[in-house]
Amino acid sequence: MTAAGARISYLSDLTPPSLERTWLTAPHPTLPIVATCSADKTVRIYSLTNFKLLSTISGGHKRSVRTCAWKPLVKGESVLATGSFDATVGIWRRWDSYGREEGGSQAWAIDDSKPNGEENHDDEGRGSLRPEDDHDAEDEEEWRFAVLLDGHDSEVKSVSWSPSGILLATCARDKSIWIWEDLDDGDNNFETVAVLQEHTGDVKCVSWHPTEECLASGSYDDTIRIWREDIDDWGQVACLKGHGGTVWYIDWEGADNAPSTSPSLTADEAAAVKDRWKEHHALSGPRLISCSDDRTVRVWRRKPKQQSSSAGTGMPSIIRPVGLDETWYEEAVLPAAHDLSIYAVTWSKRTGLVASAGADGKIVVYEERFVSADDNLSNEGDKMDVEPAVENQTDGHTPPSLRTEWVILATIDAAHGIYEVNHISWAKRADRKRHESSSAGEEEILVTTADDGSVKVWTVDR
């Protein structure tokens, strides 16, 4: 059973699809486009306004492109990092606007009814720094293969840019995580900052904290590890154990997220509850969510450190504390919904909803809600309409009025027919058929990729 009135609805396919397995879809941070990685060695760029193909990035990798990520905070152009089973990472660039419209929407043809068609690149310049092409009208419409990052010994599984866009993290089957710095010197130079090798198995995913230079990774060794820099040396500050199988994917909570409040509250009352919740958890920061081969989705929270103070003065100490180790605890295991491995989980930065997908072909959407002793009594009947809720664990200091629970909001089976769903992500809705309402600008869609090469777009109706 699911929450009354909530459902996942099919909206469209992205066309044309790949003829081989699609691994992952990455929404652009500002433009209404997505990049989709495929086993056919290409990355396809699709419009989210008409769901058609805009361009195809090819020629940079010799094997399946497993992962990609858009660099944030870039103006005037789009920068995409790609990771491949050929053990390399590619950096690609394309001008968003070339004298026609600021912001690049016209340059991307996202308002046109027809896609631009495919653009091809050869392997020339692989393994070396390649100068930027002259910015004439013809070249500026194409993707430019800027540089190849070569360091991993085997298949690259995940890439992630830091919030500032300065650092790029990559991980691979060789059990290592590499951190690269984009020197932003105009020559596409990258410098190796660190090579992290504490994982004892294939590293499946890396993801940067939304506001801090803090990196999380998930692995075949069933653990999640948290990494930070101490002066000039990167190191592990926490190892999260709880999953009973490979950690396939991780994602961070949005920095401004808060759980859903009861519809019976006024707008002011709801805002006050959310503000109290944010204030209570301000020192711990955004949470981390993970999914695994053990068929569970888990939420992790950092325990705030006690602030040190000068002896007897009560004043904060300016002396750096010894050791950077952090304590993380498992706050919740979301309600069971999947029958097989869960390959991907995504936490909406706009609504706080969580979605998961995996080998069983299901899409599941979860919601976190405030719950209190009074709510337990007054809403007993309402809870009959939802999957069993899982109440969050706390650090022992959370007031009852701020405690939350997770419920399954909606599910859909066989999202891609008989095929496994490899990835799921939230994206801002941009198609012309979106509902005309005051909140239309904040509507979201889900994008899923599967073994049959298809990429599907879904809406969540509440």
Side-chain angles (χ1 to χ4, degrees):
M1 298 175 63
T2 58
R7 69 182 187 277
I8 302 169
S9 301
Y10 168 79
L11 182 60
S12 178
D13 273 61
L14 300 185
T15 58
S18 171
L19 298 179
E20 298 185 40
R21 171 184 293 165
T22 49
W23 286 109
L24 175 146
T25 297
H28 193 283
T30 57
L31 296 173
I33 59 175
V34 294
T36 296
C37 305
S38 174
D40 67 2
K41 310 174 189 176
T42 72
V43 175
R44 285 173 166 77
I45 310 297
Y46 292 95
S47 165
L48 288 182
T49 61
N50 58 23
F51 308 122
K52 295 180 182 295
L53 182 69
L54 294 173
S55 59
T56 300
I57 303 175
S58 61
H61 292 292
K62 296 179 179 179
R63 294 183 60 193
S64 174
V65 181
R66 176 65 179 83
T67 181
C68 68
W70 299 97
K71 183 178 179 179
L73 306 179
V74 182
K75 294 183 178 180
E77 68 174 343
S78 291
V79 179
L80 186 69
T82 56
S84 169
F85 282 178
D86 65 11
T88 67
V89 175
I91 305 296
W92 304 81
R93 296 178 179 272
R94 184 191 192 280
W95 299 109
D96 288 339
S97 177
Y98 38 93
R100 288 196 283 176
E101 181 176 335
E102 186 64 31
S105 59
Q106 186 173 348
W108 279 105
I110 56 178
D111 290 326
D112 296 339
S113 59
K114 296 181 181 180
N116 281 343
E118 299 186 0
E119 300 166 357
N120 297 316
H121 299 263
D122 57 30
D123 288 339
E124 183 180 356
R126 284 175 55 85
S128 62
L129 298 180
R130 183 172 162 188
E132 297 288 355
D133 298 329
D134 292 335
H135 303 331
D136 57 51
E138 183 177 352
D139 287 337
E140 286 175 343
E141 296 189 33
E142 297 181 355
W143 283 96
R144 309 184 307 283
F145 184 41
V147 66
L148 190 81
L149 304 180
D150 192 357
H152 286 289
D153 294 331
S154 57
E155 295 99 323
V156 176
K157 297 298 182 70
S158 179
V159 297
S160 178
W161 293 95
S162 66
S164 65
I166 296 174
L167 300 177
L168 176 69
T170 63
C171 66
R173 188 179 178 184
D174 61 14
K175 307 177 186 179
S176 74
I177 299 166
W178 287 55
I179 299 178
W180 316 76
E181 180 181 356
D182 184 351
L183 300 181
D184 198 21
D185 57 3
D187 292 325
N188 293 304
N189 284 314
F190 281 73
E191 181 178 78
T192 304
V193 173
V195 179
L196 311 173
Q197 297 179 300
E198 277 79 353
H199 276 295
T200 59
D202 179 351
V203 188
K204 299 292 188 183
C205 53
V206 285
S207 182
W208 288 96
H209 188 286
T211 60
E212 303 171 12
E213 286 194 349
C214 168
L215 183 69
S217 59
S219 171
Y220 184 81
D221 65 14
D222 305 350
T223 69
I224 300 165
R225 297 175 193 253
I226 309 295
W227 314 85
R228 287 184 185 271
E229 184 181 22
D230 182 13
I231 307 178
D232 292 326
D233 188 24
W234 281 83
Q236 177 182 302
V237 296
C239 181
L240 286 51
K241 298 179 180 179
H243 280 296
T246 299
V247 180
W248 282 104
Y249 209 80
I250 51 180
D251 195 19
W252 291 91
E253 175 183 28
D256 296 323
N257 179 57
S260 299
T261 55
S262 169
S264 62
L265 298 180
T266 66
D268 289 342
E269 291 171 337
V273 171
K274 291 184 177 184
D275 286 343
R276 288 199 303 271
W277 186 87
K278 291 179 182 179
E279 182 179 359
H280 181 79
H281 293 298
L283 292 179
S284 64
R287 293 167 291 175
L288 185 68
I289 200 163
S290 59
C291 62
S292 168
D293 198 50
D294 66 9
R295 308 175 190 178
T296 67
V297 177
R298 298 169 188 256
V299 178
W300 310 84
R301 184 182 288 280
R302 179 177 59 194
K303 185 176 181 180
K305 287 186 177 182
Q306 295 294 326
Q307 292 183 326
S308 59
S309 60
S310 300
T313 66
M315 297 296 291
S317 171
I318 61 173
I319 301 175
R320 187 183 184 90
V322 178
L324 292 176
D325 287 354
E326 301 176 352
T327 300
W328 288 72
Y329 62 95
E330 184 183 282
E331 187 181 76
V333 180
L334 273 56
H338 288 278
D339 303 317
L340 296 171
S341 299
I342 307 174
Y343 292 148
V345 63
T346 178
W347 203 329
S348 169
K349 307 305 183 283
R350 290 186 174 87
T351 65
L353 296 181
V354 165
S356 62
D360 59 6
K362 288 183 180 179
I363 300 173
V364 183
V365 177
Y366 314 81
E367 182 181 43
E368 184 181 22
R369 300 173 176 174
F370 285 105
V371 61
S372 67
D374 291 340
D375 291 334
N376 288 334
L377 293 175
S378 62
N379 294 338
E380 191 67 31
D382 294 341
K383 288 191 177 182
M384 298 300 291
D385 292 331
V386 300
E387 292 287 347
V390 175
E391 187 166 346
N392 281 2
Q393 300 178 27
T394 69
D395 56 9
H397 304 289
T398 302
S401 62
L402 297 182
R403 290 178 181 168
T404 64
E405 63 182 3
W406 287 92
V407 299
I408 293 176
L409 190 65
T411 63
I412 189 167
D413 294 327
H416 288 254
I418 62 173
Y419 296 97
E420 295 184 344
V421 180
N422 294 316
H423 189 257
I424 186 168
S425 61
W426 293 100
K428 186 176 179 179
R429 187 170 183 181
D431 62 286
R432 299 189 189 91
K433 295 181 180 179
R434 66 181 184 268
H435 299 298
E436 296 296 334
S437 67
S438 58
S439 62
E442 293 302 314
E443 287 184 4
E444 283 189 303
I445 52 175
L446 283 169
V447 185
T448 54
T449 56
D451 274 358
D452 63 347
S454 64
V455 184
K456 295 183 181 293
V457 181
W458 312 82
T459 59
V460 179
D461 304 312
R462 302 166 67 183

